[in-house]
Amino acid sequence: MPPRTAAVTLSNLTFAWPDGSVVLDQVSGTFGSGRTGLVGANGTGKSTLLRLVAGRLRPTSGSVVTSGVVDYLPQDLAATGATTAGATLADLLGVAPVLAALRAIEHGDADPAHFETVGDAWDVEERSLAALAEAGLTVDRLDRPVATLSGGETVLAALVGIVVRAADVVLLDEPTNNLDAPSRERLVTLLARWRATLVVVSHDTDLLDTMDETVELRDGGLRVFGGAYGHYTAQIAVEQDAARQALRTAEQALATERRQRQQLEQRVAHAERSGRTDRANRRFVPAAIDMRVNAAQKSAGARRGQADAKVAAAQAAVVDAEAAVRADDRVVIDLPDPRVPAGRRIAALTGTDARSHIIAGPERVALSGPNGVGKTTLLRCLLADEGRSTERGTKPEVRPSSGASSLVGPGPVAELYVDRVGYLPQLLDGLDDDATVLAAVRAAAPTVAPGEVRRRLARFHLRGDQVDRLVGSLSGGERFRVAMARLMLAEPPADLLVLDEPTNSLDLVTQAQLVDALGAWRGALLVVSHDRAFLDQLDLDVELTLDAAGVLTPATSGHR
């Protein structure tokens, strides 16, 4: 592949939040033309870096230089204002001003400002509808309210807007979040034909494997790998094998030097004992004994110095070798044990065909289906929380179990038989952005001492000054840790844990740890996810598929 020209250049880029928390420190590097996957652990500053390149944030110091117009799709579309009440598809696509100008011209308004707004985009409506259709979104008008779209459809439409606007440099932050499998496939196909400069932050390995190169943000620096994600992981694996072998060699050398140092002390001690014995037995004249003792002490001191220097050098070599071995933080999540009896009725989900599935005891259930069929709405209905997205580990407000809490109009219905439910929504939007991490977690466990909360947060790698940071300054993965900590500290522990697309903002290491934690969970579990690899690791009892008609079709996993 020929060398790619630099489309984005970062020079000593530093960014800190107003509270002094440093996210990026003296980062320099380039993103070349073509398609680049930007990877790195949660909290390293990937999303912040994209916002700096997009001009949404101002660097504390350093500079960002881009070639051409930059377009940006954030994780949280609500932050763009394109999903607010009354927003339309045209707003989401970013073509509303052009359409308004076209309509004005069609009605005879010859204001030059309208023609300037339209520019060369006379066919913007036709191109937009065609691009939406190609992405699998069949619509016949651009004034359709965004509120009528599912979360996945909204993301897909926003991506279509990126295509329609045709910027020179495009930045995408977790674009596959909330997309079902067919939508992900359409997105991958769309980006495979991309010709503009593209920088993608994602934990979706299938998407990352379509990139031309991979750039890793780690320890405050950017490192370019000349290939897609598979090439990156293979190279890292080779390097880490060598680094671990070098560490073992360095540790063995240190052990050898320490053993030789100990043996030296034993020889010196033996010589000193011999000298004392000679003096006691008067085998030599005192002057001769003193001379021998002085000579021995000088020799021992020199040998000790040499041995200490060798031990110090070996210790330094171990430190250097350890630095080369990746010790990525992994979230250690120790969920509480609610001790749910096997026969206890937890919840019931009933489809429009009147067939019900009863979640009983510590059953593990997945709810899947295409975007837009109402999976998240059914979860909110189950929690009697429709229209008010929350995240909490405390008792939800539920309707009496004698009467099912149902969706408005015909559709699936849900009934809850317990009142201790931990709910983790897609957007984690129940967290108070203006609260500190410590305050946010203590709100779910007000009787737990602050010191104990701090101790448990440390197990999520939220330590020291980090617990005093504002939630609004956290990365997606860090917000997830806070949300999970709230669930873990809830008193009493939940009987049912409900997770809605929990892997959306997690790096691959944290996803693996979440799987481990849920493997140890002894309560009931209901999870909505489009992440097939994640679901396959959960040891599910049943997977319920919800279709557009509201029918729930069960398929026994067979794992348990």
Side-chain angles (χ1 to χ4, degrees):
M1 180 184 296
R4 303 197 296 167
T5 57
V8 179
T9 301
L10 314 175
S11 301
N12 299 317
L13 186 64
T14 297
F15 179 79
W17 294 110
D19 65 0
S21 303
V22 177
V23 183
L24 301 170
D25 188 14
Q26 298 290 314
V27 174
S28 296
T30 61
F31 293 105
S33 57
R35 298 166 299 172
T36 298
L38 177 60
V39 300
N42 286 134
T44 55
K46 303 184 299 298
S47 294
T48 301
L49 181 58
L50 290 194
R51 293 170 68 186
L52 286 163
V53 175
R56 304 296 178 88
L57 293 174
R58 294 178 60 86
T60 304
S61 63
S63 64
V64 178
V65 177
T66 59
S67 59
V69 177
V70 178
D71 208 339
Y72 167 60
L73 184 69
Q75 284 190 48
D76 183 8
L77 283 175
T80 67
T83 60
T84 55
T88 66
L89 260 176
D91 295 312
L92 187 59
L93 296 175
V95 299
V98 178
L99 284 180
L102 283 171
R103 297 290 182 265
I105 293 171
E106 290 171 358
H107 287 84
D109 188 342
D111 188 336
H114 297 323
F115 291 89
E116 183 177 348
T117 298
V118 172
D120 296 327
W122 294 95
D123 61 344
V124 66
E125 186 168 15
E126 292 77 10
R127 286 191 296 110
S128 297
L129 291 172
L132 287 167
E134 186 177 6
L137 296 173
T138 304
V139 295
D140 56 4
R141 56 193 179 87
L142 296 183
D143 60 352
R144 176 177 171 178
V146 174
T148 64
L149 303 176
S150 71
E153 290 171 331
T154 300
V155 172
L156 206 56
L159 286 165
V160 169
I162 294 281
V163 174
V164 171
R165 294 191 296 271
D168 302 296
V169 177
V170 171
L171 314 172
L172 305 181
D173 195 355
E174 297 291 356
T176 60
N177 281 1
N178 305 315
L179 297 186
D180 57 20
S183 298
R184 290 186 182 208
E185 292 174 2
R186 286 192 288 269
L187 171 64
V188 168
T189 300
L190 177 68
L191 297 186
R193 299 195 297 267
W194 204 274
R195 292 296 174 263
T197 295
L198 178 69
V199 180
V200 179
V201 168
S202 181
H203 299 125
D204 186 331
T205 56
D206 290 336
L207 175 59
L208 291 173
D209 268 330
T210 67
M211 299 292 106
D212 299 318
E213 71 178 17
T214 302
V215 173
E216 183 184 39
L217 179 60
R218 181 182 175 83
D219 296 332
L222 288 175
R223 181 181 174 192
V224 178
F225 294 79
Y229 186 76
H231 173 82
Y232 156 76
T233 54
Q235 186 169 339
I236 291 297
V238 170
E239 291 178 358
Q240 287 303 290
D241 284 342
R244 284 188 286 270
Q245 180 57 52
L247 176 58
R248 287 191 291 268
T249 300
E251 289 173 336
Q252 291 168 357
L254 176 59
T256 298
E257 295 299 339
R258 284 174 171 166
R259 184 171 58 252
Q260 291 177 350
R261 178 67 172 81
Q262 184 178 13
Q263 291 171 350
L264 171 62
E265 286 298 327
Q266 292 172 347
R267 290 194 297 270
V268 170
H270 177 72
E272 290 176 346
R273 286 196 300 272
S274 296
R276 288 194 296 270
T277 300
D278 289 342
R279 182 181 292 276
N281 295 336
R282 298 182 181 278
R283 294 178 57 190
F284 301 97
V285 297
I289 292 175
D290 290 341
M291 289 178 62
R292 290 180 59 188
V293 168
N294 289 337
Q297 288 175 340
K298 290 180 180 179
S299 176
R303 284 181 290 165
R304 281 189 176 114
Q306 293 171 354
D308 288 342
K310 290 181 179 180
V311 170
Q315 287 175 326
V318 168
V319 171
D320 290 341
E322 286 176 336
V325 176
R326 294 179 176 233
D328 292 316
D329 283 351
R330 297 186 64 173
V331 177
V332 180
I333 307 173
D334 185 12
L335 295 176
D337 182 2
R339 292 180 172 83
V340 176
R344 183 176 184 182
R345 288 163 65 88
I346 303 296
L349 303 177
T350 304
T352 51
D353 60 353
R355 288 190 300 170
S356 295
H357 177 80
I358 304 296
I359 301 176
E363 191 173 27
R364 310 167 76 81
V365 179
L367 178 61
S368 61
N371 287 132
V373 297
K375 300 183 298 296
T376 295
T377 303
L378 184 57
L379 292 189
R380 291 175 177 171
C381 168
L382 176 68
L383 300 168
D385 211 16
E386 185 175 359
R388 181 163 58 90
S389 180
T390 62
E391 179 281 316
R392 59 179 179 268
T394 54
K395 175 180 175 179
E397 300 172 10
V398 297
R399 300 174 187 173
S401 60
S402 58
S405 54
S406 63
L407 298 171
V408 176
V413 296
E415 188 171 2
L416 191 63
Y417 301 112
V418 296
D419 61 1
R420 298 202 305 268
V421 180
Y423 175 43
L424 204 68
Q426 289 186 31
L427 300 179
L428 303 180
D429 50 3
L431 293 173
D432 183 357
D433 285 346
D434 295 325
T436 66
V437 170
L438 181 63
V441 175
R442 288 207 70 208
T447 62
V448 178
E452 176 64 13
V453 174
R454 286 179 178 271
R455 186 187 71 80
R456 296 194 186 187
L457 283 172
R459 300 168 71 181
F460 289 80
H461 299 287
L462 294 167
R463 304 184 177 92
D465 294 341
Q466 285 182 302
V467 303
D468 297 318
R469 286 178 57 189
L470 296 180
V471 172
S473 70
L474 302 179
S475 69
E478 289 169 328
R479 288 176 68 89
F480 172 83
R481 298 179 195 184
V482 174
M484 283 302 298
R486 285 169 56 92
L487 297 186
M488 188 184 80
L489 292 176
E491 293 186 347
D495 296 311
L496 171 65
L497 194 62
V498 180
L499 308 180
D500 194 358
E501 297 290 355
T503 62
N504 275 354
S505 298
L506 302 185
D507 60 34
L508 298 174
V509 172
T510 309
Q511 285 187 33
Q513 196 63 30
L514 175 60
V515 169
D516 292 342
L518 294 178
W521 172 247
R522 292 181 175 83
L525 175 67
L526 176 60
V527 58
V528 168
S529 179
H530 292 124
D531 190 333
R532 188 71 256 169
F534 171 67
L535 291 177
D536 288 342
Q537 297 176 78
L538 290 186
D539 200 17
L540 298 169
D541 293 296
V542 174
E543 183 168 350
L544 300 173
T545 301
L546 179 65
D547 65 19
V551 175
L552 283 165
T553 304
T556 302
S557 170
H559 290 306
R560 295 167 69 87

